[in-house]
Amino acid sequence: MTKALYLKVVLLMVFVVLVLSACAAPAPSEPATSADGATTASEPAEDREWGAWRDTDPYAPFPETVQLTLVKGGQEAASLLPEGESIEDNRALQYIEDALNLDITFSWVVPSDSFGDKLNLAIASGDIPDAMSVDAIQFQQLVAAGALEDLTPYIEQYANADILANYEQTGGVALDAATVDGKIYGIPNVQPQADAPLMVWVRQDWLDKLGLEGPETIDDVEAIAQAFIEQDPDGNGADDTFGLTGTMVPVQVPSNLHGFDIFFNVYGAFPTLFHENDNGEIVYGSVQPEAREALARLVQMYDDGLIDLDFAIKNADQANEIVISGQGGIMVGPWWISWWPLVDSVKNDPNADWQPFMIKDNNGEYTYSMGAYTYGFVVVKKGYEHPEALIKILNVQNDLSYGLNDAPQYYPNFNEIWTTLFPVPFLIEQPYVVERMATEYQQALDGELDPTTLSEAMKLEFEQIQTDMANPRVDSASWATRMARLDAAALLASGYNEVRTDPAAARIFPSDPNWPSLKKMEEEAYLQIITGAQPLEYFDTFVERWYAGGGQELLDKMNQ
């Protein structure tokens, strides 16, 4: 993946996560405002009358002040805070300290792009703070070093009901990701799952012009691509339209723009995932016989000219230009691509009526490669006296984020700065929040739910949905919200099968010394086979080399 593509995907995922953070729960409490409109603080935490919920273990303040040292990235965003506030001293931090009777200090604060290196140095030297946010590799290193506190006795007792419900919705997978030898050594995050399933977005106006129905199967996608190439759907008389787009990253979970992942899933293949097979054994999806079948289909599609012949040298921006410019009428991507890049297609041509479709696998079902529920952990240094303090902080942060339990929100730009404000920039979200929101929007449209009960952010989106339904594509922003939040998300809410990397495997492969070379070998082989640089039979050679190059050893470790 090029740096440009990586950055674009990461930034967009961050945007989506922040949007979800604003929309995933009941309406936040309105901040008090002064006469001139400036945001002011609510009364100090120690003067508030807490509800009965404050008397429960998840929120009870410590009887004596507890000291806690942390580390923090995000220094570059401190300028976005109100005048007089900083990462080390702001109203949200004070609220958390006052509510729980904590004294939080930071051993160091650095820019985001320096945080990983700085933390790795701290881990290597053994000079770690009382608690910190870590990735899967750092988590594994700290567990192996015996440097972490066992959090098993604390999570059920101190995590609030919302967080426990979010863990439950993962079917135990999130907590399993943090479990080693039966002990939970980290508090796992939970991320929304809707970004993983890929849909086929098609221009309905082109379908209508050519008398075609929307796709349900891979055969339908092929037929539509052929028609879009040959039958001049844009009506300009030129031979300038494409079938399927693609990029140099044919498989990536989740959020793969122009990805071919969906065509592998049709054949029961799940490349890039270390998943359990029918016998309960962990296998690697990229080297299974089903992946060879899918590659054979993609080879034929490429040979027939149904896939952009230059896809293997294009990044996402270059592939996006095909659909934005009006030369392409098919794009594979997640539920949110109406916000970007398809909104630019509609801005250029209000007749561009993009519609999402889910594609059935060869068993007539909808089955997708899924991203991990968890990609990060909050861990506590072994020997720290109050491990429950971290869980309580996450409880209060959850309330601040979603306006629960009368927690105040002081900042009009909260969604932009929450990671800078919070001592532990970490959220445990509803894994299926996108699907839930789509259901609620539809219920509001059908009169089954009072739209005034929606959160403030959801009310704004609901207004956009209604605006576009009244005048489709007149306002491109309203169209984008309607298509993402209602039409595409409602397809996901109708249900689908999930295949995901085993939680134990997810901790092992990122730190395996052979993994970088194995991954590079795979990426090169897939592109070479699809484009014809190597024959389909080269897949067998690749598989042999993958196992011999450390793949078999890696799988043996996972299956122990």
Side-chain angles (χ1 to χ4, degrees):
M1 177 185 296
T2 65
K3 290 183 179 179
L5 174 57
Y6 178 81
L7 180 60
K8 179 69 76 173
V9 171
V10 169
L11 288 176
L12 190 58
M13 289 180 69
V14 169
F15 165 76
V16 170
V17 169
L18 292 181
V19 169
L20 293 177
S21 297
C23 305
S29 304
E30 291 293 326
T33 55
S34 62
D36 62 2
T39 302
T40 60
S42 301
E43 63 268 29
E46 61 268 21
D47 296 334
R48 292 176 62 97
E49 292 186 7
W50 307 115
W53 55 276
R54 277 293 180 202
D55 298 327
T56 62
D57 281 346
Y59 293 97
F62 291 97
E64 297 183 2
T65 303
V66 168
Q67 306 292 321
L68 175 67
T69 62
L70 302 171
V71 294
K72 190 75 181 285
Q75 188 178 54
E76 75 283 357
S79 62
L80 300 176
L81 297 175
E83 184 176 355
E85 297 194 29
S86 66
I87 290 175
E88 297 93 339
D89 185 13
N90 61 72
R91 282 168 285 169
L93 176 60
Q94 290 168 2
Y95 177 87
I96 293 169
E97 289 181 312
D98 292 343
L100 299 176
N101 197 15
L102 294 172
D103 180 15
I104 298 172
T105 57
F106 295 90
S107 298
W108 44 263
V109 178
V110 296
S112 296
D113 58 4
S114 302
F115 180 79
D117 290 339
K118 181 79 171 177
L119 186 56
N120 285 334
L121 287 174
I123 292 172
S125 68
D127 183 18
I128 60 175
D130 295 329
M132 56 197 150
S133 298
V134 299
D135 61 26
I137 295 176
Q138 293 163 336
F139 175 78
Q140 192 72 12
Q141 291 170 337
L142 288 163
V143 170
L148 300 182
E149 192 68 32
D150 175 12
L151 301 179
T152 310
Y154 301 100
I155 289 181
E156 184 172 354
Q157 179 176 353
Y158 292 101
N160 68 21
D162 296 319
I163 289 174
L164 290 175
N166 292 346
Y167 282 147
E168 184 176 355
Q169 287 183 44
T170 72
V173 173
L175 287 174
D176 284 348
T179 302
V180 180
D181 296 332
K183 296 180 180 180
I184 302 173
Y185 285 103
I187 306 165
N189 77 325
V190 176
Q191 60 179 340
Q193 294 298 289
D195 290 357
L198 298 185
M199 301 176 183
V200 177
W201 292 71
V202 185
R203 284 190 60 162
Q204 185 67 46
D205 55 314
W206 286 13
L207 291 174
D208 293 342
K209 180 179 179 180
L210 302 181
L212 301 173
E213 298 293 329
E216 294 185 6
T217 67
I218 191 173
D219 291 339
D220 297 336
V221 174
E222 279 198 16
I224 292 169
Q226 189 81 47
F228 282 2
I229 292 170
E230 296 177 349
Q231 298 182 35
D232 192 26
D234 59 355
N236 67 355
D239 184 17
D240 61 352
T241 46
F242 288 76
L244 285 162
T245 54
T247 73
M248 62 184 72
V249 188
V251 180
Q252 174 184 282
V253 182
S255 295
N256 196 9
L257 301 183
H258 311 275
F260 296 159
D261 315 55
I262 191 170
F263 302 114
F264 285 91
N265 295 166
V266 163
Y267 284 89
F270 307 97
T272 77
L273 300 188
F274 287 95
H275 64 91
E276 284 193 6
N277 62 13
D278 293 339
N279 298 321
E281 179 186 14
I282 296 175
V283 297
Y284 188 52
S286 300
V287 297
Q288 300 307 302
E290 294 83 1
R292 192 184 196 279
E293 292 183 69
L295 282 170
R297 185 68 174 263
L298 287 167
V299 167
Q300 188 61 56
M301 292 169 70
Y302 184 82
D303 288 345
D304 291 341
L306 303 183
I307 299 173
D308 174 15
L309 296 180
D310 295 326
F311 86 89
I313 58 173
K314 288 183 176 178
N315 60 29
D317 285 333
Q318 293 167 321
N320 288 345
E321 188 57 33
I322 293 174
V323 297
I324 292 172
S325 67
Q327 290 182 289
I330 305 174
M331 179 176 171
V332 177
W335 67 279
W336 47 256
I337 65 171
S338 58
W339 279 316
W340 176 82
L342 296 185
V343 69
D344 290 330
S345 168
V346 175
K347 287 178 182 177
N348 292 336
D349 179 4
N351 293 317
D353 183 10
W354 290 93
Q355 295 291 327
F357 298 89
M358 292 173 68
I359 302 302
K360 295 178 181 177
D361 63 22
N362 287 339
N363 295 318
E365 299 179 347
Y366 301 111
T367 305
Y368 298 103
S369 298
M370 300 299 296
Y373 283 116
T374 292
Y375 61 84
F377 310 85
V378 171
V379 296
V380 178
K381 180 172 67 174
K382 189 172 183 61
Y384 179 66
E385 189 175 359
H386 294 286
E388 70 274 20
L390 272 298
I391 303 174
K392 290 186 174 188
I393 288 173
L394 295 177
N395 291 337
V396 179
Q397 288 185 173
N398 180 74
D399 292 354
L400 285 167
S401 298
Y402 301 137
L404 303 176
N405 293 323
D406 297 323
Q409 286 189 324
Y410 306 109
Y411 307 90
N413 62 336
F414 179 82
N415 284 341
E416 187 178 6
I417 62 175
W418 71 270
T419 57
T420 308
L421 294 169
F422 286 172
V424 185
F426 191 86
L427 289 179
I428 302 165
E429 302 191 82
Q430 296 180 29
Y432 300 100
V433 63
V434 174
E435 293 87 340
R436 178 186 67 76
M437 290 172 64
T439 300
E440 291 183 6
Y441 285 138
Q442 188 60 58
Q443 290 172 337
L445 290 170
D446 295 339
E448 300 172 4
L449 184 151
D450 182 356
T452 64
T453 63
L454 298 172
S455 72
E456 294 305 311
M458 287 186 71
K459 288 176 185 176
L460 292 175
E461 289 190 338
F462 187 64
E463 289 177 5
Q464 289 183 299
I465 290 170
Q466 291 178 305
T467 295
D468 188 70
M469 293 182 76
N471 294 286
R473 298 182 303 284
V474 171
D475 178 68
S476 58
S478 294
W479 170 83
T481 297
R482 173 192 172 183
M483 297 311 301
R485 285 292 189 199
L486 184 63
D487 293 54
L491 291 178
L492 298 177
S494 65
Y496 52 89
N497 302 321
E498 302 179 347
V499 177
R500 67 182 71 249
T501 287
D502 179 85
R507 288 198 309 269
I508 294 172
F509 77 84
S511 59
D512 186 272
N514 294 313
W515 179 242
S517 62
L518 290 173
K519 187 62 180 170
K520 182 179 179 181
M521 184 192 309
E522 173 187 337
E523 292 169 351
E524 291 176 350
Y526 271 44
L527 284 176
Q528 289 172 343
I529 291 170
I530 295 172
T531 59
Q534 292 283 1
L536 179 63
E537 290 73 22
Y538 182 70
F539 177 81
D540 304 322
T541 302
F542 151 66
V543 171
E544 292 177 5
R545 291 177 177 173
W546 190 89
Y547 280 115
Q552 185 62 61
E553 182 180 351
L554 185 55
L555 289 169
D556 290 344
K557 189 186 304 182
M558 293 174 178
N559 282 293
Q560 285 178 352

